[in-house]
C-alpha cells in the first residue's frame, strides 16, 4: 500500500477493527459468536474499502443472533412508538 493511500485509509482501518471488536464483544455478552468474523484486510489494501467478513457459523449461533436482532428491533420500535 502506498504512503498516500495508507494515510488516506488509516481512519477506515481503525473503524473496521473497532467495529469487529465491538461486534465480538456485544455478541459475547449475549452468549453468541461468529467464529470467523474478521476485517478483509487484503481487499482493503487493494481498494481502500475495508469490508467486514462475517464468515461461517453454526446454525444455533445464527439462530441466536437472529433472535437477538429481532428482540432489539422490537424494542427499538416500541421506543419509537412510546
Amino acid at each position: 500500500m502506498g504512503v498516500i493511500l495508507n494515510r488516506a485509509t488509516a481512519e477506515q482501518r481503525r473503524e473496521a477493527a473497532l467495529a469487529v471488536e465491538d461486534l465480538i464483544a456485544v455478541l459475547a455478552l449475549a452468549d453468541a459468536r461468529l467464529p470467523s468474523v474478521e476485517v478483509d484486510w487484503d481487499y482493503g489494501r487493494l481498494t481502500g474499502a475495508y469490508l467486514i467478513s462475517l464468515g461461517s457459523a453454526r446454525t444455533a449461533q445464527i439462530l441466536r443472533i437472529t433472535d437477538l436482532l429481532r428482540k432489539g428491533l422490537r424494542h427499538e420500535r416500541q421506543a419509537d412508538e412510546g
Side-chain angles (χ1 to χ4, degrees):
M1 178 183 305
V3 174
I4 294 172
L5 183 58
N6 191 30
R7 283 190 201 135
T9 60
E11 183 63 18
Q12 289 99 333
R13 288 193 313 278
R14 189 183 74 74
E15 287 177 355
L18 290 174
V20 167
E21 288 176 16
D22 199 26
L23 176 61
I24 290 169
V26 168
L27 289 175
L29 290 172
D31 196 30
R33 293 182 6 108
L34 287 172
S36 302
V37 66
E38 64 184 358
V39 178
D40 187 342
W41 298 113
D42 291 333
Y43 183 83
R45 277 190 284 281
L46 292 172
T47 66
Y50 291 86
L51 303 178
I52 310 300
S53 174
L54 299 179
S56 301
R58 293 184 177 177
T59 301
Q61 290 300 315
I62 297 301
L63 291 172
R64 174 73 177 132
I65 292 167
T66 301
D67 184 52
L68 291 168
L69 290 169
R70 190 175 288 118
K71 288 176 181 175
L73 285 170
R74 191 176 308 129
H75 176 76
E76 185 176 76
R77 287 180 183 150
Q78 289 171 351
D80 288 346
E81 293 172 1

